[in-house]
């Protein structure tokens, strides 16, 4: 007879039943891992898997994934792509960039209007019926928050979304010009508890930046000036601003980046030789930069009047062309799925 087996004397044949010994403890079949190890395993998984599957595994995983520190760490590791919106239906797709191709998947969120801005996986848009109602939403978690109501100017205005990362407060910034003068004004409201917003134009010699945390404006000169054979484009690059100088006859692009406007220091980051690209870029008459994706490694540009685009990897020198989907001309925004949420 083995330990833990008790014979049943009322049965003629040898029949036993199993009971636990009082001096032994039950053992769990679940292997134990320190919470720090689980944290750094989960942080490498895509946001959609974390949101739709992993957070339901157990209370410990749910708590880790909901932790603001985890959300912030995961956001730093997220790979950016393009949020491409249809012009008529306002439906959107997410374009993810590989080494030599793109994959597009439908964004499962009902956008009632044109997207105005994106920030850390959040999107800003107006209501489909009341253009005075502004919302920010996370298309992955489906959380949607209305901005505090404030009086929009009746004249031309522009809306942006930015984050003060020391407090993780997201702010809606409205800039507008008065009817009787060329003076621009700025109104700001806090949407919740993540940053600079930039204003630049190729015809102006200066760039203006707003530190959304301290709410202080900075003005500094542009790193270059447009000439007869060159044009300047300003393109957001992650949390920085880039200035791309396109030289038409030399067929080279100079890329300058401004990481911190408080230092007033532009830094030349890349010089792109179009003829040295692999494969060599054809002599299209007009190419212009649109957005940085893949965490600043790939520059997406438009090609002439065609519905075609080119993705150039500034580190490897490789590039490939791709076509936009039919009617997808409503807008393109740098975007990455995230777990960012507003406090309830």
């Amino acid at each position: 007879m083995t330990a833990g087996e008790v014979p049943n004397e009322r049965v003629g044949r040898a029949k036993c039943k199993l009971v636990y010994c009082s001096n032994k403890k039950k053992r769990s079949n679940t292997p134990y891992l320190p919470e720090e190890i689980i944290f750094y395993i989960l942080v490498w998984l895509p946001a959609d898997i974390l949101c739709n599957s992993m957070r339901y595994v157990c209370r410990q995983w749910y708590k880790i994934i909901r932790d603001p520190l985890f959300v912030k760490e995961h956001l730093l590791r997220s790979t950016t792509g393009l949020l491409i919106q249809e012009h008529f239906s306002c439906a959107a797709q997410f374009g993810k960039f590989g080494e030599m191709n793109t994959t597009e998947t439908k964004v499962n969120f009902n956008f009632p209007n044109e997207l105005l801005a994106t920030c850390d996986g959040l999107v800003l848009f107006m209501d489909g019926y009341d253009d005075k109602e502004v919302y920010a939403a996370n298309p992955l978690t489906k959380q949607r928050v209305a901005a505090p109501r404030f009086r929009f100017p009746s004249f031309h205005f522009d809306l942006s979304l930015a984050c003060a990362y020391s407090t993780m407060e997201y702010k809606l910034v409205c800039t507008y010009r008065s009817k009787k003068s060329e003076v621009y004004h700025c109104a700001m409201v806090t949407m919740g508890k993540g940053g600079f917003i930039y204003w630049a134009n190729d015809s102006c010699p200066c760039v203006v930046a707003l530190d959304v945390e301290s709410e202080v404006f900075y003005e500094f000169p542009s790193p270059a000036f447009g000439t007869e054979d060159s044009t300047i484009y300003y393109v957001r690059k992650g949390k920085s601003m880039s200035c791309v100088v396109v030289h038409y006859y030399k067929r080279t692009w100079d890329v300058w980046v401004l990481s911190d406007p408080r230092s007033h220091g532009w830094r030349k980051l890349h010089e792109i030789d179009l003829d040295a690209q692999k494969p060599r870029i054809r002599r299209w008459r007009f190419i212009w930069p649109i957005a940085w994706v893949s965490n600043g490694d790939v520059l997406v540009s438009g090609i002439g009047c065609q519905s075609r685009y080119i993705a150039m990897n500034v580190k490897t020198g490789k590039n490939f062309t791709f076509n936009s989907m039919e009617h997808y001309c409503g807008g393109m925004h740098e975007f990455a799925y995230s777990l960012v949420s507003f406090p309830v």
Side-chain angles (χ1 to χ4, degrees), residues 292-312:
W292 291 95
V293 297
S294 300
N295 301 337
D297 291 342
V298 176
L299 179 59
V300 177
S301 304
I303 302 174
C305 299
Q306 310 173 46
S307 58
R308 299 181 65 193
Y309 301 88
I310 183 169
M312 296 183 287

Side-chain angles (χ1 to χ4, degrees), residues 8-221:
N8 190 340
E9 300 296 345
R10 296 182 181 181
V11 180
R13 295 183 179 180
K15 189 174 182 180
C16 303
K17 61 179 180 179
L18 297 177
V19 296
Y20 285 103
C21 296
S22 59
N23 61 346
K24 291 185 178 181
K25 295 182 179 180
K26 296 181 181 180
R27 292 185 177 181
S28 172
N29 293 326
T30 305
Y32 172 77
L33 286 177
E35 188 168 301
E36 293 81 5
I37 301 298
I38 299 175
F39 181 103
Y40 284 106
I41 292 176
L42 294 177
V43 81
W44 287 100
L45 296 179
D48 57 338
I49 295 179
L50 292 172
C51 181
N52 298 326
S53 302
M54 294 300 149
R55 64 172 177 161
Y56 299 113
V57 171
C58 62
R59 287 181 178 272
Q60 184 189 32
W61 289 22
Y62 180 84
K63 183 180 177 181
I64 292 174
I65 294 171
R66 296 265 302 177
D67 190 330
L69 180 62
F70 179 89
V71 173
K72 190 173 183 178
E73 185 70 20
H74 186 270
L75 183 63
L76 294 174
R77 301 171 188 266
S78 300
T79 302
T80 56
L82 281 181
L83 192 63
I84 310 170
Q85 190 179 30
E86 284 190 11
H87 183 68
F88 299 106
S89 68
C90 293
Q93 292 209 13
F94 175 67
K96 185 177 180 180
F97 288 75
E99 185 176 355
M100 294 298 289
N101 67 330
T102 61
T103 56
E104 295 180 349
T105 56
K106 183 179 179 181
V107 178
N108 188 21
F109 191 88
N110 182 26
F111 295 106
N113 215 326
E114 182 181 351
L115 302 181
L116 302 173
T118 59
C119 180
D120 294 346
L122 303 176
V123 293
L124 188 70
F125 56 89
M126 286 186 175
D127 187 84
Y129 300 98
D130 184 1
D131 59 2
K132 300 300 181 183
E133 289 284 350
V134 179
Y135 295 90
N138 185 321
L140 179 62
T141 64
K142 304 299 187 292
Q143 186 188 27
R144 169 172 161 161
V145 176
R149 293 190 68 90
F150 68 98
R151 185 179 181 85
F152 285 99
S154 58
F155 201 54
H156 174 75
F157 63 92
D158 182 66
L159 298 175
S160 301
L161 185 66
C163 183
Y165 289 99
S166 63
T167 59
M168 290 304 290
E169 291 181 335
Y170 286 87
K171 299 184 180 184
L172 170 66
V173 180
C174 175
T175 54
Y176 60 95
R177 183 163 56 90
S178 59
K179 294 181 179 180
K180 299 181 179 180
S181 69
E182 295 295 324
V183 177
Y184 278 84
H185 305 271
C186 181
M188 187 183 310
V189 295
T190 300
M191 299 198 64
K193 297 192 172 185
F196 287 96
I197 294 179
Y198 300 90
W199 293 271
N201 190 289
D202 60 348
S203 61
C204 298
C206 293
V207 176
V208 176
L210 168 64
D211 186 342
V212 295
E213 187 169 334
S214 63
E215 300 185 2
V216 174
F217 282 91
Y218 297 89
E219 182 179 348
F220 43 92

Side-chain angles (χ1 to χ4, degrees), residues 286-343:
F286 186 49
I287 308 177
W288 75 99
I290 296 176
W292 291 95
V293 297
S294 300
N295 301 337
D297 291 342
V298 176
L299 179 59
V300 177
S301 304
I303 302 174
C305 299
Q306 310 173 46
S307 58
R308 299 181 65 193
Y309 301 88
I310 183 169
M312 296 183 287
N313 191 309
V314 294
K315 290 188 174 181
T316 65
K318 296 181 179 180
N319 69 85
F320 63 91
T321 58
F322 62 98
N323 297 327
S324 65
M325 297 189 65
E326 188 177 3
H327 303 310
Y328 272 65
C329 54
M332 292 184 174
H333 303 268
E334 182 186 9
F335 183 78
Y337 281 112
S338 76
L339 302 169
V340 173
S341 62
F342 295 103

